[in-house]
Amino acid sequence: MSIDLLGPEPIYRQIAAVIAQRIEDGTYGPRRAIPSEAALCAEFDVSRNTVRAALRVLAEQGLIVSVMGRGTFVKGDGQAAANE
Amino acid sequence: MSIDLLGPEPIYRQIAAVIAQRIEDGTYGPRRAIPSEAALCAEFDVSRNTVRAALRVLAEQGLIVSVMGRGTFVKGDGQAAANE
DNA sequence: GGAAATTTGTTCGTATGTATA
DNA sequence: TTATACATACGAACAAATTTC
């Protein structure tokens, strides 16, 4: 779950995998916000673009939803996330 | 004006020619922004680098001007584009 | 209500690595 | 070796929506 700067796996995919794992294990609960892009930049020590690339992967997988001005939320199974 | 993946003409030059044509025929008007690099990537189904190579050609010809964070603009004959 | 800070969205600038012809 | 093309990654600037004070 640590990030391997070398190796064939792109950083943004590794970060996506880490976040997906946290969603799966409940670290980031359904309908709850995950850390801001800025916070993720700081944690993984990567640029915002790279964080956003990771989040894009997760959004395409339907795991998260981002809302301008609010944050990025884990999609609860029951749909309708981030409407609170 | 379609893109020929084979043939001797590089893709980026073909794309540059298409955009130049659109500027000439008024599809992209003077002092107006042309589609973003991302939009052009999608339209021509090429990488951003290839789009940027095409835009570089047009910029060298003085047809367009790119501004970070804003977009890429057609140079009106009267100069002073993208200052609005 | 308003200003400032926060947060995501969009866009261009630059650099590096890989692959192919 | 050079030119072309794609993927990745970091920087920077600005816009839009929301939250906080």
Side-chain angles (χ1 to χ4, degrees):
Chain A
M1 76 141 132
S2 57
I3 303 301
D4 175 20
L5 286 312
L6 315 179
E9 190 72 352
I11 295 173
Y12 77 92
R13 289 192 182 279
Q14 296 181 53
I15 293 175
V18 170
I19 296 173
Q21 180 59 43
R22 289 176 183 173
I23 292 174
E24 200 170 339
D25 70 19
T27 302
Y28 301 149
R31 294 156 172 273
R32 291 276 300 166
I34 71 175
S36 71
E37 294 177 357
L40 295 171
C41 290
E43 174 181 354
F44 295 107
D45 194 29
V46 297
S47 74
R48 190 182 160 209
N49 283 348
T50 300
V51 164
R52 285 178 61 77
L55 296 181
R56 177 179 51 73
V57 169
L58 299 174
E60 286 171 352
Q61 294 176 354
L63 282 176
I64 62 173
V65 161
S66 293
V67 183
M68 193 190 296
R70 298 245 284 136
T72 300
F73 300 84
V74 179
K75 268 195 186 174
D77 293 338
Q79 235 289 314
N83 295 339
E84 307 170 12
Chain B
M1 75 140 126
S2 58
I3 303 302
D4 175 19
L5 285 314
L6 315 179
E9 189 73 350
I11 295 173
Y12 76 94
R13 288 190 183 279
Q14 296 181 53
I15 293 176
V18 171
I19 296 174
Q21 179 58 44
R22 289 176 183 173
I23 292 173
E24 200 169 338
D25 69 20
T27 301
Y28 302 149
R31 295 155 172 274
R32 293 274 303 166
I34 70 175
S36 71
E37 295 178 354
L40 295 171
C41 290
E43 173 183 353
F44 295 107
D45 194 29
V46 296
S47 75
R48 188 183 163 211
N49 284 347
T50 300
V51 165
R52 284 176 61 76
L55 297 181
R56 178 179 50 73
V57 169
L58 299 174
E60 286 170 352
Q61 294 176 353
L63 281 177
I64 62 172
V65 161
S66 294
V67 183
M68 191 191 297
R70 299 245 284 133
T72 300
F73 301 84
V74 179
K75 268 195 185 175
D77 292 337
Q79 236 290 315
N83 296 339
E84 306 168 11

